[in-house]
Amino acid sequence: MAAADVAAGQPATDSLNDPDESSNSPSEILATISRVNYPLNDPRVAPLIKASLHNVLDNVQYIGSFATFGTLPGAANPGIIVKDVEMVGLPLSFGVAQTVVAACHQTPFRKGSEMIVDASVRKSWELNAGEFSLQNQAWERTLHTVIGRVAEELGVAAGVSGVRAELYRLLVCGEGAMFKPHNSEKASGMFGTLAICLPSKHEGGNVRISHNGQTKVFDTAKSSEHGYSFMAWYADATHDVKPVISGHRLVLTYNLIYTAPGTPQTASALYEEKQKLHKIFTFWKKRFSSGETACPNMLAYMLGCKYKDAALQSSRRRGSDKLKARYLKEVSTEAGFYSYLANLGRSVEDVHQDHGRHTQRGGRNEDDPREGFHKLGGTCSDKVEVKKIFDLEGIMVAKEIPLKQTDIAQLEPPSKGPGHEGISAIHPYRNTILIIMPQEHNIEFLFEPAKRGKVDVKSWFKRLTRTLQDDPCNKLLRGELSQLCELTVALNKERLAEPTVGPYSHGPLDERKPFSNEVMGEVIKASLLLGNLHLFESALSAVYEVPPLEVYGDIGLFMLDFDVDKILEAYVTAADSSESLRLTQLCRTANTIARYPKIYERLGAIDRLVSGYNRSLHKEAERNEKYPILEQWAQRVIEEALATPPAVFTKDGAALAMISYSYVDSQFIFNRILPLVKAHSTNTAFAVGFLIHLPNPGGGKIAGDVVANVFRDVLADTIDNFTIQLTSSIVTKRQKSVFADSDWMMDRWYLLGQEEAHSGPGQIEGEDVATLVECCVSLGFTDEIGQLFAKISDTAQTVDPSALPHILLPFLGRLLEPLASDNVPLTAPSYHAFVSHLLTTYITRYIRPKPIHPNNWTRVCLGCGCDACNALDEFLISPTRRVGRFPVTKAQRAHLHRKLHGGACKLKTKRVGSLQELVITKTETIWQGQLREWEGRCGDAVSWFEEVGHVVDEEGVREVLREKFKDVVRLMGLEPPLTGDRCVDDVISLLND
């Protein structure tokens, strides 16, 4: 297709180039771009850019890098044989290295026609290819793999079949070895060098390769101890080797020979190939940045093959398409452009006009020879749409984005063909396209669909921030991220002002909902990374409810960048805290913390912020100087967080104990924390959570005696109010010890964040009660243990029996295991009596005797007193009648169905004309269900006894377990000595051992 034909609305005879030019070849177009200075808004600019892009991508031959590097997992040992050394073992030892060096000569370099040895230019030892051999045939497979990777990465046009690796030398580089910058000596047909670094531990010796102002540095030391690595570069690239700091670097070098017809490639040829597209992008960006209305903001290029979305997502592209995608990826990054992949859907509707003659009745004239022929009346509609868009790594970035036909570089006119009278012909097309745009347009391109929930905005922010962290000086990227933050904040504020249901979530989306708190958390992180205080404050105020807790760690990390030590001091010493809140961004942060509805969320935010700030203080002197003022700030914010506490949750108790570990002093505990905990001690789970997370006496900022006094005070109230209630769901089990070092803190906050909150009194886990007993043992609170046991025993008698297996058994199992492992004496008769009492309660209240098979057909009355129900009840209470037949109306039948729904009867309706007969048959469904449930309870009990039997060694407790297990077996109707149940026998044997 001629380049002129791609312009929508441009006649084919128009020239896209300078009026004096007539050729539209790639070279002519590129020359035109470089030479002609088009006036602003010149209508020839857009067609010229489209034609240039089309022609360059159509004619790209190869693309690659001037140098490449990689590791070789699973590489074979080459089996190096050196004269007088025999086999060189790998990894290379120091002794073998010295022996190999003794067999080598110093590495020379060519100066004119002479070979010169000069250690100030090249300091290393080498063996030429004829002075050693490679004996392991498996090495050829490794080498073939390497050549394939090198051919692809360097962009060799002929591929792996056009490359041969010719062994050149073995290099040994000891301490101080180095090469100054130089080009490779070229053999006949050679186009590059391959170096394979063998296992030999070393430090330093980085290889630096440069071409046309670009430099790559390869570090072979990272994988040198046990691994293989390779690097390759074009012969016209310059390379040097930095000094080896320690160890020996052992390298096999190969000349890369081009074996295909034609001239070998060079790095310069690759550079020139990239420059073709770079010139187009430079011209395009210049016109776009000037605000030219005629300049396209994006263009689409159709690939040769059509791919499914799955293929785009997995980067499975073929032939020249793969080459073009890589070409665009490399040049786009350098030139400040974005490139995407998408499947283009196009639907063209043609209107056909029938020119046949008709009879007077409007029928067709069958004798007219022109009848049946019609012509294309014209295109009625031509729609273009893109369903999903992927980046060149295969990650989906957006969906349902509109595209204009004029944005497609080589859109062909729709094919015209015959249709049928009176209808339209619809021609569907589908093509895979590359979408290309200046970086400045990317925000506009994606943000519009983002408003409709068609873009994963959270992932978008993550990609940009990750890229900026890798390239913090990229001004264009900083501007793009800043613009995205500002647009997101502005849109969220606008939507927050409207009545909404909530933020975006998965599923059908209301286009007027604000962005989720997770998205706004990414905005906050991005504003911190940009160092923009004003944007940070705006983002905080634009959150739907509260930011995700993890953002406070980022806030702490960036506080030094904002020079907040003075702000902190002003906030701590301010007489009017409300005035401080209006003056500083950090105080705004404190105000945001107070918006969290739960105490553990407020305290977790404070802890994350302080921990992040502490991690940013790299020097001990900085910690000593700056950290104390932050602690004062934390204490003040904690005080405000607890001033008006919301309803307490289970996790709040643990959170209050954890802040006592790091941030508050004894006075604060006695004045603020202790009264709060005691006021809510009726919530057993909350109080126990506080007790089991108190720090080890003397291990935190408060003294051991203070911890013991607080523990005893709260424990007394907890015992008085101790209750057990089954939760609606089983929360995450916590198996960590109550006493841990300071590194446990952040993990604990994370764990709290994963658990489901429960607010009802007494909703507790059995493991936590066992941990509380363990704490009492550690503190020597013997009397309190007895009181707690008595309370637990009493509570077990009144609690819902369904709570016993979920709370009572985990409590006993968790209690026996640590006490036995810690060698705590379990010989006290009172302890044996306690265990025996709980197991008896469990057996009698939960397992219960086997359900008795009913000896007659009497069932419970269900009627309401109406005539139909009276007849039903008479049938139900009869001990002999199993089947009842009831003549009923339609309404009566429906009424009896509702009464018997889910019961122990089977219902069947017989219809004879307009009459209905309801047949009710009594069944044993209820008893059978009760029996299955009872068998399940017995099986769970057997499993528990078997599990605990492996843990407990103390004979008194084992005797209790034996007796209670016999009770379970008797309930099951089995006598232990005579049972045929192998599982029961195994448990009995275990408990008797």
Side-chain angles (χ1 to χ4, degrees):
M1 182 178 64
D5 294 338
V6 301
Q10 292 285 335
T13 56
D14 286 355
S15 173
L16 295 176
N17 299 329
D18 190 74
D20 294 331
E21 302 282 349
S22 59
S23 171
N24 289 315
S25 67
S27 58
E28 291 288 347
I29 292 176
L30 291 173
T32 302
I33 286 177
S34 303
R35 184 177 68 253
V36 179
N37 185 18
Y38 291 94
L40 190 66
N41 295 323
D42 191 307
R44 295 172 295 176
V45 168
L48 177 59
I49 294 174
K50 290 171 70 175
S52 304
L53 184 67
H54 178 201
N55 277 298
V56 168
L57 289 177
D58 272 0
N59 293 282
V60 63
Q61 298 299 316
Y62 45 80
I63 185 65
S65 177
F66 63 89
T68 185
F69 174 83
T71 57
L72 293 171
N77 186 327
I80 302 173
I81 299 291
V82 178
K83 183 181 179 181
D84 300 328
V85 181
E86 297 182 352
M87 182 74 72
V88 177
L90 297 177
L92 187 68
S93 66
F94 180 81
V96 174
Q98 294 300 313
T99 306
V100 174
V101 168
C104 293
H105 55 266
Q106 282 191 272
T107 304
F109 65 94
R110 184 178 297 279
K111 187 174 183 180
S113 59
E114 296 183 69
M115 297 299 292
I116 300 174
V117 174
D118 185 346
S120 66
V121 178
R122 292 189 190 178
K123 184 181 180 182
S124 68
W125 297 89
E126 70 170 32
L127 289 172
N128 295 327
E131 298 174 310
F132 68 97
S133 61
L134 307 180
Q135 297 295 313
N136 188 357
Q137 293 182 355
W139 177 250
E140 289 300 319
R141 292 195 297 270
T142 297
L143 185 61
H144 182 76
T145 301
V146 175
I147 294 172
R149 292 175 63 179
V150 167
E152 181 177 356
E153 292 299 318
L154 296 187
V156 179
V160 65
S161 61
V163 179
R164 175 170 57 85
E166 183 181 85
L167 185 61
Y168 181 43
R169 61 187 174 186
L170 175 69
L171 282 174
V172 185
C173 304
E175 185 176 336
M178 58 82 188
F179 279 28
K180 285 194 173 179
H182 65 286
N183 294 101
S184 301
E185 292 85 2
K186 295 188 67 174
S188 176
M190 174 183 170
F191 71 91
T193 297
L194 168 64
I196 301 179
C197 189
L198 306 176
S200 177
K201 183 174 175 56
H202 63 271
E203 296 293 334
N206 286 356
V207 180
R208 186 173 63 175
I209 304 171
S210 305
H211 183 268
N212 257 316
Q214 291 185 311
T215 299
K216 294 188 175 185
V217 179
F218 301 143
D219 183 1
T220 61
K222 289 182 179 178
S223 59
S224 64
E225 186 169 5
H226 298 287
Y228 294 73
S229 61
F230 73 92
M231 66 196 84
W233 59 91
Y234 278 100
D236 57 338
T238 300
H239 70 282
D240 62 287
V241 181
K242 296 303 179 184
V244 174
I245 298 172
S246 64
H248 289 83
R249 192 166 166 270
L250 185 65
V251 182
L252 285 172
T253 64
Y254 293 81
N255 293 330
L256 295 176
I257 309 299
Y258 191 71
T259 59
T263 306
Q265 288 173 220
T266 63
S268 298
L270 286 174
Y271 177 77
E272 291 171 5
E273 191 75 14
K274 289 182 181 179
Q275 283 300 105
K276 294 177 184 178
L277 187 57
H278 209 286
K279 285 181 180 179
I280 299 172
F281 281 170
T282 301
F283 176 78
W284 185 359
K285 183 180 276 286
K286 181 179 179 182
R287 308 295 297 200
F288 182 84
S289 300
S290 66
E292 185 169 337
T293 56
C295 182
N297 50 28
M298 68 175 179
L299 288 174
Y301 174 86
M302 287 190 284
L303 295 176
C305 298
K306 300 176 183 179
Y307 302 91
K308 294 182 179 179
D309 287 343
L312 297 183
Q313 203 162 6
S314 61
S315 302
R316 294 197 301 268
R317 296 178 284 276
R318 299 184 289 273
S320 64
D321 291 344
K322 184 176 183 179
L323 192 66
K324 290 168 185 176
R326 182 180 173 189
Y327 184 40
L328 268 174
K329 181 180 178 180
E330 292 195 10
V331 181
S332 296
T333 304
E334 298 172 5
F337 273 68
Y338 276 100
S339 298
Y340 298 104
L341 281 161
N343 275 323
L344 174 74
R346 183 183 179 205
S347 178
V348 180
E349 183 177 0
D350 293 333
V351 178
H352 301 283
Q353 297 175 347
D354 182 19
H355 290 270
R357 298 183 180 181
H358 298 267
T359 63
Q360 290 182 347
R361 292 182 299 173
R364 202 181 274 274
N365 186 349
E366 301 294 344
D367 296 329
D368 194 316
R370 293 174 296 174
E371 196 64 63
F373 289 89
H374 52 272
K375 67 178 182 179
L376 192 66
T379 299
C380 179
S381 65
D382 192 347
K383 299 178 181 178
V384 177
E385 61 180 359
V386 174
K387 291 295 185 183
K388 294 179 181 179
I389 295 181
F390 302 85
D391 66 14
L392 297 185
E393 300 294 335
I395 300 172
M396 192 181 79
V397 296
K399 53 186 177 181
E400 297 181 20
I401 292 186
L403 204 64
K404 296 181 294 185
Q405 293 180 31
T406 53
D407 292 331
I408 303 175
Q410 74 275 48
L411 186 69
E412 297 285 356
S415 59
K416 297 177 173 63
H420 301 280
E421 181 185 7
I423 64 169
S424 298
I426 298 177
H427 309 285
Y429 300 82
R430 187 175 69 86
N431 291 89
T432 301
I433 59 173
L434 285 162
I435 300 175
I436 308 150
M437 70 191 69
Q439 189 170 350
E440 295 88 341
H441 179 64
N442 189 60
I443 296 291
E444 182 181 346
F445 175 68
L446 292 179
F447 196 73
E448 195 60 37
K451 293 179 181 179
R452 298 179 281 111
K454 305 302 181 182
V455 175
D456 187 345
V457 182
K458 180 180 177 181
S459 297
W460 188 8
F461 269 104
K462 283 182 176 293
R463 288 196 304 271
L464 286 178
T465 53
R466 187 166 53 245
T467 306
L468 185 58
Q469 286 170 339
D470 295 336
D471 186 11
C473 297
N474 190 324
K475 293 183 179 180
L476 197 59
L477 187 60
R478 293 181 69 88
E480 183 180 357
L481 182 58
S482 179
Q483 182 187 2
L484 179 59
C485 288
E486 290 169 357
L487 287 171
T488 306
V489 168
L491 181 64
N492 232 43
K493 286 185 175 180
E494 175 187 330
R495 290 181 171 178
L496 285 173
E498 301 177 4
T500 57
V501 177
Y504 279 136
S505 58
H506 296 293
L509 299 174
D510 179 355
E511 293 187 6
R512 301 307 303 168
K513 291 180 181 178
F515 290 111
S516 68
N517 294 338
E518 287 72 23
V519 169
M520 296 310 298
E522 295 301 323
V523 179
I524 293 171
K525 294 177 185 178
S527 67
L528 293 168
L529 182 62
L530 293 167
N532 190 328
L533 272 174
H534 174 72
L535 184 58
F536 170 71
E537 291 184 352
S538 297
L540 274 180
S541 62
V543 177
Y544 174 71
E545 291 173 333
V546 287
L549 285 174
E550 60 265 20
V551 304
Y552 291 94
D554 293 85
I555 294 174
L557 281 172
F558 284 94
M559 283 170 64
L560 277 182
D561 297 339
F562 294 157
D563 193 26
V564 298
D565 49 339
K566 296 178 182 178
I567 298 176
L568 285 169
E569 188 172 0
Y571 179 72
V572 171
T573 59
D576 184 359
S577 62
S578 62
E579 182 67 15
S580 299
L581 288 171
R582 289 192 293 268
L583 292 177
T584 69
Q585 59 85 17
L586 190 62
C587 301
R588 182 183 290 277
T589 302
N591 191 32
T592 305
I593 290 173
R595 285 161 45 193
Y596 284 94
K598 302 178 180 68
I599 292 176
Y600 79 87
E601 292 174 328
R602 299 177 184 180
L603 301 182
I606 297 168
D607 181 72
R608 283 178 168 87
L609 189 147
V610 175
S611 298
Y613 181 73
N614 194 29
R615 291 198 302 274
S616 69
L617 301 175
H618 301 295
K619 298 178 181 178
E620 190 66 30
E622 280 186 325
R623 287 194 180 93
N624 295 336
E625 176 187 356
K626 298 178 180 293
Y627 189 69
I629 191 68
L630 185 66
E631 281 190 312
Q632 294 180 46
W633 174 85
Q635 287 185 19
R636 179 159 181 174
V637 178
I638 289 171
E639 187 172 355
E640 293 173 355
L642 302 181
T644 55
V648 298
F649 288 76
T650 300
K651 293 179 284 187
D652 292 337
L656 288 168
M658 287 157 61
I659 63 163
S660 304
Y661 191 87
S662 299
Y663 300 119
V664 299
D665 53 23
S666 300
Q667 183 179 359
F668 189 91
I669 289 180
F670 281 116
N671 292 342
R672 302 306 303 270
I673 295 180
L674 182 59
L676 176 62
V677 176
K678 287 174 66 66
H680 294 89
S681 61
T682 53
N683 186 329
T684 301
F686 164 79
V688 170
F690 174 79
L691 290 169
I692 66 176
H693 288 87
L694 272 180
N696 191 21
K701 294 188 64 175
I702 52 178
D705 60 335
V706 173
V707 172
N709 290 335
V710 171
F711 190 99
R712 190 187 295 272
D713 194 353
V714 175
L715 179 61
D717 290 352
T718 303
I719 293 173
D720 289 341
N721 298 294
F722 189 90
T723 56
I724 295 176
Q725 182 175 332
L726 181 66
T727 59
S728 58
S729 62
I730 305 301
V731 297
T732 304
K733 293 183 178 181
R734 299 195 296 269
Q735 300 295 343
K736 291 186 179 180
S737 169
V738 60
F739 301 138
D741 56 32
S742 59
D743 291 339
W744 165 70
M745 177 71 77
M746 290 302 295
D747 290 338
R748 210 52 166 158
W749 285 117
Y750 174 80
L751 183 60
L752 285 179
Q754 303 307 302
E755 296 169 2
E756 184 178 351
H758 299 284
S759 57
Q763 301 186 19
I764 192 171
E765 296 178 69
E767 292 91 339
D768 286 346
V769 182
T771 303
L772 178 60
V773 175
E774 185 182 354
C775 293
C776 292
V777 171
S778 299
L779 293 170
F781 291 171
T782 307
D783 294 339
E784 285 80 357
I785 292 176
Q787 297 169 16
L788 182 60
F789 280 178
K791 194 69 174 183
I792 293 172
S793 297
D794 293 342
T795 305
Q797 297 295 325
T798 58
V799 71
D800 183 344
S802 60
L804 296 176
H806 298 294
I807 298 176
L808 198 61
L809 289 189
F811 162 68
L812 283 175
R814 178 75 174 89
L815 179 67
L816 294 173
E817 181 179 351
L819 294 185
S821 61
D822 292 342
N823 296 320
V824 176
L826 306 178
T827 56
S830 59
Y831 181 82
H832 298 165
F834 171 67
V835 174
S836 177
H837 178 76
L838 288 188
L839 289 177
T840 299
T841 302
Y842 166 71
I843 293 169
T844 57
R845 298 198 64 224
Y846 179 72
I847 300 180
R848 299 191 297 274
K850 181 178 180 179
I852 300 174
H853 186 283
N855 55 13
N856 57 50
W857 293 107
T858 301
R859 299 293 183 265
V860 178
C861 293
L862 299 173
C864 66
C866 67
D867 291 342
C869 284
N870 288 338
L872 174 65
D873 286 345
E874 183 181 348
F875 162 71
L876 291 175
I877 62 176
S878 171
T880 58
R881 293 176 62 190
R882 186 185 179 194
V883 179
R885 302 178 183 274
F886 301 87
V888 291
T889 64
K890 183 177 180 180
Q892 288 175 327
R893 179 180 63 82
H895 178 64
L896 294 182
H897 262 277
R898 287 193 296 271
K899 289 293 181 180
L900 294 168
H901 177 69
C905 293
K906 179 180 178 181
L907 286 76
K908 185 177 180 179
T909 302
K910 291 186 177 181
R911 293 178 176 85
V912 181
S914 60
L915 299 177
Q916 296 185 9
E917 183 182 57
L918 182 62
V919 180
I920 302 176
T921 304
K922 297 176 184 177
T923 67
E924 295 181 339
T925 303
I926 294 179
W927 174 79
Q928 291 169 348
Q930 292 172 343
L931 182 62
R932 284 194 300 270
E933 291 177 0
W934 176 81
E935 289 172 346
R937 295 196 298 270
C938 290
D940 292 341
V942 170
S943 298
W944 184 85
F945 276 98
E946 182 178 26
E947 180 180 346
V948 174
H950 285 286
V951 177
V952 179
D953 293 327
E954 202 276 321
E955 183 56 34
V957 177
R958 292 181 69 82
E959 177 61 30
V960 172
L961 294 176
R962 278 195 293 270
E963 291 302 318
K964 296 307 164 185
F965 183 71
K966 290 177 182 178
D967 291 342
V968 173
V969 173
R970 292 189 188 97
L971 282 175
M972 295 171 66
L974 302 171
E975 288 301 325
L978 304 175
T979 179
D981 189 325
R982 184 175 179 275
C983 181
V984 171
D985 286 342
D986 290 344
V987 179
I988 292 172
S989 299
L990 175 68
L991 295 176
N992 285 329
D993 288 342

